[in-house]
Structures are given as C-alpha cells and as structure tokens.
Amino acid sequence: MKKSDTIHEIVKALAKAQSQFKIAVFDKKNPHFKSSYASLESVHSAIREGLVSNGLAICHLLEDGKMVTTLFHESGEWLGCELALPTGLSPQQLGSALTYFRRYSICCLLAIPSGEDDDGNSAQEAHVSQPVENLNNQQAAEIISLLDGDTE
C-alpha cells in the first residue's frame, strides 16, 4: 500500500466516512456473466457525501503504464494503490478498462462492495482473449485528451 508518512487523520476520517457511505445500487448488467454490478456512477453516488463531509477526495492519474488511485485527506495525508494497465487494447477497450479499474480501486481503497458476490466462481472460469495491437502515440494522446475532458 502506498501512503503518506503518517495516516492517523486519514484513517479517522475514513472510518467516519465509511459509516456514512450508502449502498451502491446495482444499476448495470454484465451480459457475459449474467450478473449485476454497481456502475462507477453508482459507486460515486454512494460515497460522495461521506467523503466530502470528512475532508476526503479521490483522484485517479495515469503514470508509467499504471492507473494510480489516491485518497487524499485535508490534513495532507493520503493512501493510494496502483494497477498496471493492460497492454494491446484498442482505445475503446482501454477506456472500458479504465472505468473498470477506477471502480474497483475506489472499492478497494474504501472497503466497499462493488458487485454481486459469486464466491470467486467467475475468477475460476478460463477466458480466452484475442490479441490486439498496442496503442500508437496518436491513439494514446486521444485517450488522454478524452480522459482530461478535452473534446474538439
């Protein structure tokens, strides 16, 4: 776990925030696994009030092929995690993966449920993915522009 030198204040604030978190509504369906899950928007709605009222904020950044998620506290303390981004994805696939990673990193950092519990069964299933080409510099720049909200 990545963290600031001290975490006393952020841990106290997170404990209070967790008591204020709402249940994330399972508002999306995964047709592949025939299961429901809470979308990123639903997760944000469930945690927003608890974070804000306790001086907490979440930030996602892309750095060196990883998505870095950080929970900041108004004291300056922070907790973070990072996930390696998959390679060889089309821009659309990468955008989808980033949304998925954002949702799961928030749920991990804040210890909140994120979808139906299938007791790990779906993780046991073998899945074959098709190889795809790596992103070129222009595609990566377009994705970063979209993530930053720069649209033409």
Side-chain angles (χ1 to χ4, degrees), residues 6 9 13 19 25 31 43 48 50 55 57 63 66-67 71 77 84 88 92 97 101 111 121 128 136 141-143 145:
T6 63
E9 295 302 316
S19 73
V25 176
V43 170
R48 186 172 291 115
E63 179 180 288
K66 295 178 260 181
M67 187 188 70
L71 176 67
E77 293 178 342
Q92 293 81 9
F101 279 16
N121 290 327
V128 178
N136 63 38
E142 288 176 24
I143 291 169
S145 176

Side-chain angles (χ1 to χ4, degrees), residues 59-96:
C59 179
H60 304 280
L61 299 172
L62 300 178
E63 179 180 288
D64 298 326
K66 295 178 260 181
M67 187 188 70
V68 180
T69 301
T70 307
L71 176 67
F72 292 101
H73 184 252
E74 61 191 12
S75 68
E77 293 178 342
W78 57 274
L79 299 170
C81 65
E82 57 185 45
L83 295 167
L85 296 174
T87 59
L89 300 179
S90 71
Q92 293 81 9
Q93 290 170 321
L94 182 57
S96 183

Side-chain angles (χ1 to χ4, degrees), residues 41-54:
E41 294 80 10
S42 179
V43 170
H44 272 263
S45 292
I47 65 173
R48 186 172 291 115
E49 187 177 308
L51 293 179
V52 171
S53 66
N54 290 284

Side-chain angles (χ1 to χ4, degrees), residues 1 3-12 77-79:
M1 171 176 63
K3 62 183 182 65
S4 55
D5 290 336
T6 63
I7 59 169
H8 304 294
E9 295 302 316
I10 194 170
V11 170
K12 286 193 290 188
E77 293 178 342
W78 57 274
L79 299 170

Side-chain angles (χ1 to χ4, degrees), residues 109-125:
L109 271 175
L110 303 180
I112 59 175
S114 60
E116 287 183 351
D117 185 354
D118 70 353
D119 199 28
N121 290 327
S122 63
Q124 297 299 320
E125 296 176 15

Side-chain angles (χ1 to χ4, degrees), residues 2 15 22 26 34 54 76 84 93-94 105 119 137 143 152:
K2 295 186 169 289
K22 298 177 179 135
F26 286 17
K34 296 179 176 49
N54 290 284
Q93 290 170 321
L94 182 57
S105 64
D119 199 28
N137 288 338
I143 291 169
E152 295 180 36

